[in-house]
Amino acid sequence: MSETISHDILVLGSGLAGLRAALAASIATKGKIDIGLVSKVQLMRSHSVAAEGGTAAVLREEEGDSLDLHAWDTVKGSDFLADQDTVTLFVRNMPGEIFQLEHWGIPWSRRPDGRIDQRAFGGHSFPRATFAADKTGFFEMQVLYDTLTRYENTTRYDEWFVTSILTEDGEFRGLSAIDLATGEFHVILGKALIIATGGAGRISGFTTYSHSVTGDGIAMAYRVGIPIKDMEFIQFHPTGLIPTGILMTEGCRGEGGYLLNKQGERFMEGYAPGKMELAPRDIISRAMITEINQGRGFEGVNGLNYAHLDLRHLGADKINERLGFIRELAMKFVDVDPVYEPIPVRPVFHYAMGGIHTDINGETPMKGVWAAGETACVSMHGANRLGTNSTAECLFWGKITGEEAAKYVRGVTGEVKMPQEAVAKARAHLYNDILKREGKESIYEIRQELRRNVDKNLGVYRNGEGLKEGCRKISELKERYLKISVRDRSKAYNIDLMYTLELGFMLDVAEVAFNGALNREESRGSHARLDFTKRDDEKWLKHTLATFSAEGPKFDFSPVDISSWKPVERTY
Ligand SMILES: Cc1cc2nc3c(=O)[nH]c(=O)nc-3n(C[C@H](O)[C@H](O)[C@H](O)COP(=O)(O)OP(=O)(O)OC[C@H]3O[C@@H](n4cnc5c(N)ncnc54)[C@H](O)[C@@H]3O)c2cc1C
């Protein structure tokens, strides 16, 4: 093993949440804190750069928006599973985040009078999506990255693949990682950890997410005993481009786009007449699948039947100014120019509402460990997230966790001890187990079967039979995973090995999601069961908590904060 590396705070992940956390810790300590920022991809390749549509915040109280309204929209959107104290804290702090980014230099899109513009988004009763054309995430990442370079206290470990969280006596000590460029195994010690590893979109075969989004942080936290919360709630975004799943931002509908079935009807009229194409995503996704199942969709290849997203009436000028990237994507990938033709779309696996269990400040039950961004479940989105609330969550909880971790580290004296046993275990897992497996199973086949299973049984609509089949299949795949072999034996950029480790993480995350979904005998938000079609507040107004055990996830539950609004029927 090479020399030991040690930092005060380790930030695992360089997406919006990770960068904002590193920046907050730097600002809070005037650059005096020593941070290690680790990412398995080059910093600007984190999935956050792909965010298109916008970031939610109340900026226009004088025009009728209010913090209360943003909070209510979020709570109602969540089908009452969001913790209301968390949501309240969030909406109060978001305007400040938008102005902070403005001061750091982000080119927010503007109104003709020069003030920051905002567009409409699904489930929001007021246009409060702050945006930078249709490349919001890219500009947010860029401005955070730029600002972070003003501080010299952050050491970057780009293309370092973290394999485990190292603990001793139940306390955090550090991370084990492979430097992908050299294949070297390293230990990075730290006094505090902020996990910001993003979601788990790639457990699905039809997803908007980058190939790197494989739930690693969720699985690593789970494996060291941190509970995973509400993992059964998975968001389908209504408008994934056929056949790749590339996202056509909700901003398309925010700018006035229509959804049409085969008969040319704006079918949302029949499902959410008050909101039409700007209803929340779970409701639109169900409407689209219903239209398709009832024969009013267009026929696509591989069963990917679809509807039309029609932007033609917006005109070329608006499309070019506000949705230029969408036009480019549709033209490049399916040869459709949205100025003249409708875009073929269907609901696509988009977002994990669940994740690492944290309190309102993003702290996990393990001392010295925080989680922020999509990987965390601070319980802001409940059973269904509203568009633009995620980049917002990343920014705000990135900030809080960075500040909290910085405060915590000041109270930790002495050097971090090398956790010998955990390091030996992490090494053994790689070199005496994974790399020694000599079975005939292919990780690529297992991965494909995992994705087929998720797409078939953990979709927009679910039922007990399918979920049971899904759980059985995951157990089978986990067995087969023990009989794989990593064929590539080279050290530099051993992507075969990386995919193998990612597959192990995805199997754990999918196992928790499937079992959680099977347990939850109700329909709430994105979790729509054909065998339990009603929301059941008496039995199920509670969070799912899954804890690792050798036999599989153990389930427990925790209460939901409903201190501001009592649950009511959710109609739009
Ligand atoms: C196409 C698309 C469009 C979207 N548009 C919007 C939008 O308009 N508005 C909105 O609010 N939300 C949007 N979202 C959702 C939002 O962008 C994401 O939820 C958010 O950006 C996630 O940020 P993050 O910081 O949590 O993680 P990510 O940006 O996914 O970053 C994860 C980081 O963790 C690192 N990492 C992961 N595993 C490891 C490991 N094993 N070792 C080392 N490093 C690791 C990665 O390298 C990466 O740096 C969109 C999502 C997609 C996919």
Side-chain angles (χ1 to χ4, degrees):
M1 196 192 334
S2 53
E3 95 277 21
T4 311
I5 306 163
S6 178
H7 298 283
D8 291 334
I9 300 181
L10 302 183
V11 178
L12 174 48
S14 67
L16 281 174
L19 290 185
R20 186 67 186 88
L23 202 43
S26 303
I27 293 167
T29 58
K30 300 200 171 59
K32 295 252 158 46
I33 202 156
D34 175 18
I35 300 171
L37 178 61
V38 195
S39 168
K40 67 180 176 181
V41 297
Q42 195 275 340
L43 186 146
M44 280 297 283
R45 285 180 181 264
S46 302
H47 184 76
S48 290
V49 294
E52 297 168 357
T55 298
V58 172
L59 302 183
R60 301 232 141 73
E61 296 199 83
E62 75 288 0
E63 290 175 20
D65 200 3
S66 76
L67 298 176
D68 250 13
L69 196 56
H70 188 189
W72 165 247
D73 289 343
T74 303
V75 167
K76 184 179 173 192
S78 82
D79 218 347
F80 297 92
L81 196 71
D83 284 336
Q84 297 179 8
D85 51 352
T86 303
V87 174
T88 304
L89 180 73
F90 163 74
V91 299
R92 281 194 194 141
N93 283 278
M94 269 322 293
E97 276 299 298
I98 297 294
F99 297 132
Q100 180 63 75
L101 261 57
E102 164 97 345
H103 295 160
W104 283 333
I106 196 171
W108 292 127
S109 290
R110 307 250 157 207
R111 288 180 168 186
D113 66 5
R115 289 184 301 156
I116 296 173
D117 202 359
Q118 291 187 297
R119 61 164 57 125
F121 243 74
H124 290 278
S125 346
F126 197 87
R128 60 171 81 96
T130 322
F131 60 102
D134 51 2
K135 294 182 178 168
T136 307
F138 170 79
F139 287 113
E140 289 176 343
M141 284 286 291
Q142 186 75 56
V143 86
L144 294 178
Y145 179 21
D146 273 359
T147 310
L148 191 61
T149 57
R150 288 187 206 159
Y151 295 87
E152 288 176 354
N153 53 316
T154 298
T155 308
R156 274 170 60 189
Y157 300 90
D158 281 14
E159 300 190 325
W160 279 44
F161 186 93
V162 172
T163 62
S164 73
I165 296 171
L166 303 170
T167 62
E168 194 171 51
D169 306 326
E171 282 186 23
F172 171 69
R173 292 282 187 270
L175 300 168
S176 62
I178 301 169
D179 175 356
L180 291 171
T182 63
E184 288 298 317
F185 178 85
H186 291 275
V187 170
I188 315 176
L189 298 179
K191 296 174 182 164
L193 170 68
I194 300 168
I195 309 172
T197 44
R202 282 282 156 181
I203 64 172
S204 158
F206 185 64
T207 173
T208 54
Y209 272 71
S210 314
H211 289 273
S212 58
V213 182
T214 49
D216 306 5
I218 300 173
M220 285 190 268
Y222 176 61
R223 289 175 186 181
V224 292
I226 300 174
I228 303 307
K229 188 159 69 194
D230 293 341
M231 204 63 221
E232 61 270 31
F233 295 103
I234 286 158
Q235 174 160 86
F236 284 79
H237 193 295
T239 54
L241 185 66
I242 296 291
T244 53
I246 291 173
L247 184 73
M248 298 287 105
T249 173
E250 191 166 311
C252 294
R253 285 169 283 128
E255 296 292 348
Y258 298 152
L259 288 171
L260 305 175
N261 63 17
K262 194 165 76 177
Q263 288 148 9
E265 297 157 342
R266 285 180 70 189
F267 56 85
M268 283 312 297
E269 181 89 57
Y271 301 88
K275 287 258 184 217
M276 295 294 287
E277 283 88 354
L278 289 175
R281 292 172 178 175
D282 57 333
I283 291 175
I284 300 188
S285 290
R286 284 196 287 277
M288 285 171 84
I289 295 294
T290 304
E291 290 295 300
I292 288 169
N293 287 348
Q294 293 179 356
R296 292 186 295 278
F298 298 87
E299 208 138 308
V301 288
N302 298 331
L304 291 176
N305 294 350
Y306 59 88
H308 273 160
L309 171 63
D310 194 355
L311 306 181
R312 288 173 295 184
H313 54 288
L314 302 182
D317 286 350
K318 190 162 184 181
I319 292 175
N320 288 335
E321 186 208 324
R322 299 296 180 84
L323 302 165
F325 185 45
I326 291 301
R327 185 178 184 200
E328 184 187 328
L329 287 170
M331 288 170 75
K332 278 198 178 144
F333 283 87
V334 291
D335 202 18
V336 163
D337 183 348
V339 171
Y340 305 106
E341 297 157 276
I343 310 171
V345 290
R346 72 175 267 132
V348 58
F349 190 117
H350 186 58
Y351 183 86
M353 263 72 72
I356 300 168
H357 172 49
T358 75
D359 68 8
I360 194 167
N361 287 326
E363 189 167 10
T364 73
M366 185 176 281
K367 206 169 113 202
V369 179
W370 284 260
E374 190 168 344
T375 206
C377 183
V378 63
S379 192
M380 235 213 65
H381 313 298
N384 174 64
R385 169 175 79 84
L386 294 190
T388 68
N389 268 354
S390 170
T391 46
E393 176 196 6
C394 290
L395 292 171
F396 178 55
W397 270 279
K399 172 171 185 268
I400 301 194
T401 54
E403 289 172 354
E404 291 286 313
K407 219 186 301 165
Y408 169 81
V409 160
R410 255 177 263 149
V412 181
T413 48
E415 296 293 301
V416 182
K417 277 202 324 253
M418 179 68 75
Q420 300 293 356
E421 213 174 293
V423 173
K425 209 170 129 200
R427 280 182 75 86
H429 176 63
L430 264 181
Y431 298 103
N432 303 338
D433 180 5
I434 296 282
L435 285 166
K436 284 268 163 65
R437 290 182 194 177
E438 285 185 345
K440 295 248 172 326
E441 293 285 352
S442 146
I443 62 146
Y444 301 97
E445 274 164 29
I446 297 176
R447 191 171 72 181
Q448 195 174 38
E449 286 182 43
L450 162 71
R451 289 173 177 168
R452 279 208 197 112
N453 181 32
V454 167
D455 293 343
K456 175 163 171 237
N457 294 317
L458 203 60
V460 171
Y461 284 109
R462 302 152 173 200
N463 65 52
E465 273 312 295
L467 292 170
K468 273 188 210 140
E469 183 193 317
C471 292
R472 264 198 312 273
K473 185 76 191 175
I474 297 288
S475 305
E476 176 209 309
L477 296 177
K478 287 193 106 175
E479 281 295 311
R480 285 169 54 192
Y481 183 71
L482 298 172
K483 299 183 196 127
I484 51 135
S485 59
V486 180
R487 294 190 190 142
D488 185 353
R489 293 281 148 173
S490 52
K491 291 201 97 183
Y493 290 105
N494 188 338
I495 300 304
D496 200 22
L497 173 61
M498 186 179 86
Y499 286 164
T500 303
L501 297 171
E502 287 178 345
L503 177 60
F505 294 142
M506 287 195 283
L507 286 168
D508 278 1
V509 173
E511 183 179 41
V512 172
F514 263 118
N515 282 282
L518 179 62
N519 286 346
R520 189 173 277 277
E521 296 186 331
E522 65 159 352
S523 286
R524 181 186 298 272
S526 65
H527 176 65
R529 281 188 62 157
L530 294 167
D531 47 352
F532 296 94
T533 54
K534 294 255 167 337
R535 192 177 82 200
D536 183 349
D537 287 332
E538 215 155 284
K539 281 208 199 114
W540 285 104
L541 184 59
K542 57 187 179 189
H543 299 295
T544 301
L545 289 176
T547 311
F548 178 85
S549 87
E551 301 80 53
K554 293 263 176 289
F555 286 94
D556 201 352
F557 301 94
S558 72
V560 180
D561 179 89
I562 49 165
S563 47
S564 300
W565 291 283
K566 294 279 162 275
V568 292
E569 200 195 337
R570 186 167 165 253
T571 52
Y572 288 92

